[in-house]
Amino acid sequence: MCSEVPEQQAVRMIDEYTNRFLTEYPVHCELRTMPLGNLHSHKGFEIYLCLQGKGSYIVGDRLYPLHSGTLTIIHPHVSHRPVSESPRELHRYVLSVDEAYLERLSGACPDINGGITALLAETGSQSSHLFLTVTHLAQFRSLLAELTGLLQLRPPYFELQMLKLMSELLLLIIEIRGQLPAVGLSRSENERLIDEVLAHLITHYQEDLRIEDLLRQFPVSRSRLFGLFKQTTGSTITQFLTEFRIHKAKNLLADTALPITEIAARTGFGDLSHYFNVFKRQTGMTPKQYRAQAAQLTPHDQLAQPAPPGQLAQPAPHDQLAQPAPHDQLAQPAPHDQLAQPVPLDRLAQPLQPVQSSQPAASPLLLPHGSSSKE
């Protein structure tokens, strides 16, 4: 299981590392073995290939299994967070592609219904999750390794080679979608339970959620619920709910002109003082300071043009790229009958009226006042 990230070092909701690279050039790919971060989002599509390790991937309102051979495609600005279950961190390729780049490629392929972005999209969902065969895993891994090297070296005819590799990658995704059967893979009772708990928290995060309400909704013991949730997501229920609410508050601060008091109420913080304290502890700044900083960032809908290769910024030292292992050391994906099928969490949250910050709590809360029972 991955280690906890201290609250004072929590990663900002907006992934500026990825956004910076996509501003300088619309495609970024690297092999990562570094520790995992907190819930975050960024512009551009993300293609996440897991090579080694085991865990879960929280993407929007879904929970996916992660292991060697899983491929996750995430839409722009969708919140996500991987969690490792193994002592060693996940080894994964992460490819980010700006939407404007894909739209320009679509202009050269008028025969594709809906454009190239439609190839990456799954109808009615903000993400998709595929289980690769050994052959497809090796092919995908080889393409991403070549793409990573190409972006680093920028050899002659770089753009033509980039188009070639991106075309091969998109064609491989088409092949995988067409060949992999839609098999109803079984899920364990524990996995279904945590899926339902996550769905309940995400649907009702604006409300005063009580531990007692959760235990009535899910008739399991307190210790089992807390233990399974921590094992699956890497966080306690309270930590996850706090992180999710702060994530939503950041979106509203950056994208709307709503008063800060109303944002606190809309994101489930009934106590304004508690909201300010938690926000400052999680981000290192007040909501007002965060809003001012977000206003200075490049708007999400501003399309970035690729910079000349000589002007491309180099990655920070702590984000050094790991070298891919030889193909013959590639971990084998688990058999299909052992893979967990992600279940959509399709219950939608209803908008609530703002909660008055002076209203006293009727009983112990998960948030904003904290639970009286330790997890």
Side-chain angles (χ1 to χ4, degrees), residues 120-168:
L120 301 177
E122 185 175 285
T123 304
S125 176
Q126 297 177 320
S127 59
S128 57
H129 194 66
L130 303 171
F131 301 103
L132 307 186
T133 64
V134 174
T135 300
H136 282 145
L137 175 56
Q139 290 175 325
F140 223 105
R141 183 179 184 274
S142 177
L143 278 174
L144 293 179
E146 190 173 354
L147 194 59
T148 300
L150 181 65
L151 286 164
Q152 291 176 327
L153 298 176
R154 304 296 181 92
Y157 307 108
F158 159 74
E159 292 288 357
L160 282 176
Q161 294 184 64
M162 176 64 66
L163 288 173
K164 171 180 176 291
L165 290 177
M166 287 299 300
S167 298
E168 290 179 4

Side-chain angles (χ1 to χ4, degrees), residues 197-216:
V197 172
L198 279 170
H200 185 83
L201 294 177
I202 291 171
T203 301
H204 300 283
Y205 76 94
Q206 297 168 302
E207 304 173 17
D208 293 339
L209 293 174
R210 299 172 174 84
I211 292 291
E212 289 73 14
D213 294 337
L214 274 183
L215 294 175
R216 281 193 295 269

